[in-house]
Amino acid sequence: MKKIIFYLTIISFLNIQSQEVENVQLREVVFTVGTNYTDYSFDANDDFEATGMGSHFEIEYTKKIGKTKTEKSLGYSLSLNLDQYNASYGNMASSYSWETSYIGVRNGLDLPLLNMKNGLHLDALCGVSLSTILKGQQKINNMVYDISTHPDFSGLIGWLDAGLKLSYDLKDDVKLALGYTMSENFKITGKSTQSIKLKNSRVNLSLIYKLN
């Protein structure tokens, strides 16, 4: 995942140097809903892995960057997001489940790959997010535990993500987009009793409004 982010970033900055000259400011507001598919794993137990689904909501502001700005220019985005990372695991002896909600902020880069005359656009995405837990619970068999203040889940969490977005021009100032992203977490602040790894993939549906 880190190598994917690195290569996308390098390509993005190379793209700035090859932009056509056109002095235009391009900005967008994006409203996104999606579904998270999350895998929980623990370093202390290599054989344990739980999976589940949750919701994703995001509001995003995007603008083109660089000395010259065209439809082919690199985009920078800042967004506020709300995510559910849920998972469950069970066998003949016991069952486990996690239901968590996180709020966070994402900084991202949007690299145009393809712009077609029929209104279709394909972009590569990469970003870094910071999030913290709002609420969470763990179920072990029939027992329910609040994990919102547990050191393994509380504190500041970082995420690296990469993906693709296919959009279509509905009108001159409105686009509809379908996206797919993959992400992994890393702990930034807070004490942990064991390393919990979250690997997430997401399918997104976005409504994009062009501001100018």
Side-chain angles (χ1 to χ4, degrees):
M1 174 62 70
K2 292 182 180 179
K3 290 184 178 179
I4 294 175
I5 300 297
F6 174 77
Y7 290 134
L8 283 176
T9 302
I10 294 299
I11 294 172
S12 298
F13 283 108
L14 290 176
N15 184 64
I16 294 176
Q17 304 303 320
S18 62
Q19 293 168 3
E20 299 174 1
V21 176
E22 182 180 338
N23 187 20
V24 59
Q25 182 76 17
L26 299 173
R27 301 177 298 151
E28 296 173 341
V29 174
V30 185
F31 300 93
T32 299
V33 295
T35 301
N36 290 317
Y37 301 90
T38 310
D39 295 333
Y40 279 60
S41 59
F42 299 86
D43 285 350
N45 188 347
D46 294 335
D47 297 327
F48 184 93
E49 186 173 292
T51 61
M53 297 169 55
S55 298
H56 167 77
F57 304 95
E58 185 175 52
I59 181 170
E60 174 185 323
Y61 172 77
T62 301
K63 69 175 183 178
K64 297 295 185 179
I65 59 177
K67 292 183 179 180
T68 59
K69 300 175 179 67
T70 74
E71 286 286 353
K72 298 180 181 180
S73 299
L74 183 70
Y76 166 76
S77 63
L78 178 65
S79 62
L80 177 67
N81 49 68
L82 178 65
D83 284 284
Q84 295 177 335
Y85 302 117
N86 303 328
S88 61
Y89 169 86
N91 53 36
M92 297 295 292
S94 58
S95 63
Y96 303 84
S97 67
W98 293 264
E99 295 180 359
T100 61
S101 296
Y102 284 79
I103 188 170
V105 176
R106 178 182 181 273
N107 286 272
L109 294 176
D110 186 336
L111 174 64
L113 299 178
L114 182 65
N115 291 289
M116 301 180 65
K117 292 182 179 181
N118 61 2
L120 283 174
H121 311 273
L122 180 64
D123 300 337
L125 312 172
C126 64
V128 178
S129 303
L130 299 177
S131 64
T132 187
I133 193 169
L134 286 178
K135 61 179 181 179
Q137 67 176 23
Q138 179 184 33
K139 294 181 181 178
I140 303 178
N141 296 327
N142 294 322
M143 301 296 294
V144 179
Y145 303 92
D146 182 4
I147 58 174
S148 59
T149 58
H150 193 282
D152 290 342
F153 294 88
S154 60
L156 194 60
I157 306 297
W159 293 84
L160 295 175
D161 68 73
L164 293 171
K165 179 180 67 177
L166 181 66
S167 60
Y168 177 71
D169 294 327
L170 293 177
K171 298 180 180 180
D172 290 340
D173 58 351
V174 180
K175 293 192 292 185
L176 186 66
L178 180 66
Y180 177 79
T181 60
M182 300 177 296
S183 58
E184 294 183 5
N185 76 319
F186 56 94
K187 192 78 171 180
I188 297 179
T189 65
K191 298 180 179 180
S192 299
T193 58
Q194 60 180 330
S195 179
I196 298 177
K197 196 67 177 179
L198 301 182
K199 294 183 179 180
N200 190 67
S201 59
R202 178 186 303 133
V203 177
N204 298 319
L205 183 64
S206 302
L207 191 62
I208 303 170
Y209 293 93
K210 297 180 181 181
L211 298 181
N212 63 342

